Amino acid sequence: MVWAVAGAGAAGVARLLRWDGAGWQRVPYPGEETPGTELTWAETADDGSVWVAGRFEDGTRLLHHDGEAGRWTPPVPGESTAEAPGRVRLSPSGEAHLVGRDLARWDGQGWTVLPAVPGIRLVVTDLLPFAPDDVWAVGGAFGVGGPPGKPPGMVLARFDGSAWSHVSGDGLPFSVGALQTVCAVGTGRAPGTGAALAAGWDFWDDSTAPNLRWDGAAWSGERGEANGEDVTVRDVCGVPGTGGAWSVGHTRNTGPEQTRFRIERYG
């Protein structure tokens, strides 16, 4: 089953859509006609239901819909911004993680607000939760000041249940740029051993998609195919039962009229 969201905010009506094998169908949900409701990201659970990140009644929340009825969670407590979350990610045990200025985990009963990833002008763009004490975060950090157009530093951090620790060093293939997305790949998702693929853009070399692969013990670099165009990756999705993944992105250093989508298969 495939779910999608379309439309957002007071200027329009946010729609929840489901693919039935022949076409897209609108799925009603609580608050659909309420001004200011936003839906930003949908993640399908193993049982075919969907978790949707968004805002409803002036609070950051999750919408859970099984195809017949939907229900909003309570708002994230103590949220620091009115900005809608960017994504929702599910752990193997079914816990839902909101990704945005605030990072929080919903376990079906209540919220656990995660500490912020340490850094100056740091933005988390995606999470990969293996377990409550094993979560990866990716993004970019702009640091203090700098000239206009200053590139960010790549952010790759791991949460052990109490604190975040940054991964850095000569073993990483690049450090200037940003990671936009991370996903599980392969068949194993056990805490501490699950494989992962992270992707984004490399400031110094954007001729190919820069990917990082986690084998359960260490990160290594690999590159997408070069075709004479610069590229940034926006999202990756693992292919079940394999070590491969699909990525979607676009060309970077061109005007809006020349920008093209880019889809690649790895592994």
Side-chain angles (χ1 to χ4, degrees):
M1 187 175 296
V2 180
W3 294 84
V5 294
V13 178
R15 299 298 190 193
L16 178 62
L17 306 173
R18 182 178 58 189
W19 178 262
D20 63 5
W24 290 101
Q25 305 296 324
R26 183 174 67 85
V27 180
Y29 65 91
E32 182 178 15
E33 305 297 335
T34 303
T37 298
E38 295 184 68
L39 304 180
T40 56
W41 194 272
E43 188 89 348
T44 305
D46 290 341
D47 62 4
S49 65
V50 66
W51 289 90
V52 183
R55 287 185 64 81
F56 175 57
E57 294 181 340
D58 295 325
T60 298
R61 305 171 188 253
L62 284 170
L63 172 68
H64 186 222
H65 207 297
D66 62 6
E68 299 295 330
R71 182 170 67 91
W72 290 95
T73 67
V76 175
E79 56 185 324
S80 62
T81 178
E83 181 179 310
R87 305 184 189 224
V88 55
R89 292 300 196 191
L90 301 179
S91 69
S93 59
E95 295 177 314
H97 293 66
L98 270 177
V99 186
R101 294 292 182 90
D102 298 298
L103 307 176
R105 179 177 66 247
W106 174 259
D107 63 5
Q109 302 296 321
W111 288 104
T112 298
V113 177
L114 305 184
V117 180
I120 299 173
R121 297 170 65 199
L122 183 148
V123 177
V124 174
T125 53
D126 204 358
L127 291 178
L128 176 58
F130 286 115
D133 59 354
D134 187 9
V135 182
W136 287 101
V138 299
F142 286 86
V144 178
K150 172 188 175 183
M154 184 188 73
V155 170
L156 177 61
R158 192 176 194 179
F159 184 63
D160 64 4
S162 59
W164 292 96
S165 58
H166 285 274
V167 178
S168 60
D170 295 336
L172 297 178
F174 73 100
S175 60
V176 181
L179 289 173
Q180 302 283 2
T181 179
V182 59
C183 75
V185 295
T187 57
R189 292 195 66 184
T193 62
L197 186 73
W201 65 276
D202 181 349
F203 175 77
W204 294 114
D205 181 7
D206 58 7
S207 61
T208 57
N211 303 316
L212 300 179
R213 187 175 291 272
W214 172 255
D215 63 6
W219 289 95
S220 60
E222 61 182 53
R223 290 277 176 168
E225 181 181 351
N227 68 349
E229 296 180 331
D230 51 22
V231 62
T232 184
V233 177
R234 291 296 182 182
D235 198 23
V236 289
C237 180
V239 180
T242 75
W246 285 97
S247 78
V248 60
H250 56 82
T251 54
R252 291 195 64 249
N253 297 322
T254 57
E257 297 81 6
Q258 292 79 39
T259 299
R260 288 178 292 279
F261 288 115
R262 177 155 175 157
I263 298 173
E264 291 187 73
R265 169 72 187 265
Y266 310 117

